[in-house]
Amino acid sequence: MIDAPAIDLSALVEPVKTIAQEAGRRILAVYAGAFSVTAKADQSPVTAADLAAHDCILSGLAALTPSIPILSEEASDVSFPERSHWTWLWLVDPLDGTREFIKRNDQFSVNIALISRHEAVFGLVLSPVNGVYYYAWRSGGAFKQAPNQPPRRIHAARVCHYPVRVISSQESYRTHRLQNYLSHLGHHRHLGLGGAVKSCLIAEGEADLYPRFGPTGEWDTAAAQVILEQAGGYMTDMQLRPLRYNVRPVLINPDFFAFGDATRNWAQYLPHRHSHGWPA
């Protein structure tokens, strides 16, 4: 058991991988058969796989770090006055990409992040279908590990390609706001992918930019953010400030960019940015 004030972040890697692996196994057990879909209060879908992974991860993290509270997409009803006093917490999306899971396109993941004073300091993303892990911890670097392979260090592309390799879900790519932004960005190549692995592909230098317009939960981005940052990249709001966690009554992110090349001001392609106070 690891006490919050004395955490060795590198020591979390193997036990959290084990927790995520079991959650992934439970997800795939549901994925292999017929399953029903129900709607949560916010009308987002939930399946037995979400709940099975949630139960697995919560019990595993509670045993690993009993003094650190846990916020999961499937158990986020903690009042802000209570959680605003937390200096450490786990942020978990047991099944990121439930809609992709329902479509059976394999583009979903298990996301587990540790937050310290509003910043992600440890993150792990597992793609259950192909068994690939991405993980990182503050000052420790970012890694990708394929099944039966040793982990390898990954790095974001510090100079973006031309054309810019833009990554988003196919659904987001068709939205007016993203198309408007991309019309200002200019020539680009689109990579369509769902879930947190989008940011992980930027972390390993396989994509340059992920512009996200529209709501996402904090559990959707926290793990990927520390992976991307430790790979030399960035995840920022539209004013190019790093995303922060557990700072608002509602656990919803602002619109954001994920990118590797900090020499480009990605906000300059936002339409009407001056009228909204965005930087030039």
Side-chain angles (χ1 to χ4, degrees):
M1 301 203 177
I2 303 171
D3 209 21
I7 287 179
D8 173 0
L9 296 174
S10 66
L12 294 174
V13 172
E14 292 306 319
V16 175
K17 280 170 65 177
T18 299
I19 292 167
Q21 182 180 42
E22 177 58 21
R25 189 190 66 77
R26 297 188 188 190
I27 288 168
L28 292 179
V30 177
Y31 197 51
F35 55 84
S36 60
V37 180
T38 56
K40 295 188 285 191
D42 64 359
Q43 297 307 302
S44 62
V46 65
T47 70
D50 297 82
L51 302 177
H54 163 82
D55 290 343
C56 171
I57 295 168
L58 258 63
S59 62
L61 293 179
L64 179 65
T65 56
S67 62
I68 301 181
I70 305 165
L71 277 180
S72 165
E73 181 177 14
E74 307 311 331
S76 60
D77 54 345
V78 180
S79 71
F80 184 61
E82 177 182 348
R83 60 181 170 80
S84 65
H85 298 292
W86 296 350
T87 54
W88 291 82
L89 69 145
W90 290 101
L91 259 181
V92 175
D93 193 341
L95 176 50
D96 179 35
T98 301
R99 289 182 173 86
E100 315 301 325
F101 178 89
I102 292 165
K103 294 175 189 173
R104 296 186 183 273
N105 68 10
D106 298 352
Q107 297 175 9
F108 49 86
S109 62
V110 175
N111 304 346
I112 302 175
L114 182 63
I115 309 301
S116 175
R117 301 187 184 279
H118 311 296
E119 297 178 354
V121 297
F122 173 91
L124 182 143
V125 173
L126 166 65
S127 177
V129 171
N130 62 17
V132 171
Y133 293 92
Y134 295 89
Y135 59 87
W137 64 95
R138 176 169 286 179
S139 302
F143 299 85
K144 178 181 182 180
Q145 186 170 15
N148 304 313
Q149 298 290 325
R152 64 174 179 87
R153 189 85 178 260
I154 57 174
H155 303 277
R158 306 303 290 271
V159 177
C160 71
H161 286 225
Y162 184 82
V164 177
R165 298 166 300 174
V166 175
I167 193 165
S168 75
S169 69
Q170 293 291 357
E171 290 79 3
S172 294
Y173 188 65
R174 292 190 290 266
T175 63
H176 172 75
R177 291 185 69 194
L178 182 54
Q179 284 297 316
N180 200 2
Y181 175 83
L182 294 175
S183 71
H184 290 79
L185 173 68
H187 190 39
H188 65 276
R189 181 161 65 92
H190 181 249
L191 308 170
L193 190 67
V197 176
K198 292 189 290 294
S199 298
C200 295
L201 288 187
I202 296 175
E204 63 176 312
E206 295 297 322
D208 299 304
L209 174 66
Y210 168 30
R212 172 67 193 207
F213 301 101
T216 54
E218 293 188 2
W219 37 75
D220 293 319
T221 58
Q225 181 172 355
V226 66
I227 293 166
L228 180 54
E229 288 175 345
Q230 289 300 308
Y234 305 84
M235 187 177 287
T236 73
D237 63 18
M238 295 284 136
Q239 293 174 287
L240 304 179
R241 301 171 300 195
L243 295 188
R244 288 166 57 80
Y245 297 95
N246 194 34
V247 294
R248 295 172 291 270
V250 179
L251 293 161
I252 300 296
N253 291 314
D255 296 343
F256 66 85
F257 298 118
F259 57 93
D261 184 353
T263 67
R264 291 279 290 270
N265 178 1
W266 300 104
Q268 70 181 304
Y269 308 109
L270 291 163
H272 314 301
R273 64 192 183 282
H274 297 294
S275 64
H276 291 282
W278 287 312

